Amino acid sequence: VDIDATAVMGDVRIILPPGLYADVDGLAIMGEFTDRTTGTAGNFVAPAIRVRGTAFMGAVRVETRLPNENALAAWKRRRLGS
């Protein structure tokens, strides 16, 4: 699955379920392009997600969230490593 994400003075947030591998690559000009996924490249059962794009004075964020997990709980899970 290929996703082309472009953010111009705004945000694009792509939320993936656990177990998916995301290949994230993009250009950030006065912005950010971040990969916060937890999938591994060795998982050949699930499809690979390719995210490409540009962030100009904005942000493109790709992250993994558990079912029914809010943004704060996801942030805590990433910080605590559990």
Side-chain angles (χ1 to χ4, degrees), residues 30-41:
M30 295 176 58
E32 70 175 318
F33 211 96
T34 58
D35 178 12
R36 296 179 178 158
T37 57
T38 58
T40 59

Side-chain angles (χ1 to χ4, degrees), residues 11-50:
D11 292 341
V12 174
R13 179 170 290 165
I14 300 168
I15 300 172
L16 302 175
L20 287 183
Y21 169 69
D23 179 21
V24 180
D25 186 32
L27 174 66
I29 301 170
M30 295 176 58
E32 70 175 318
F33 211 96
T34 58
D35 178 12
R36 296 179 178 158
T37 57
T38 58
T40 59
N43 186 359
F44 295 110
V45 176
I49 308 296
R50 284 182 213 83

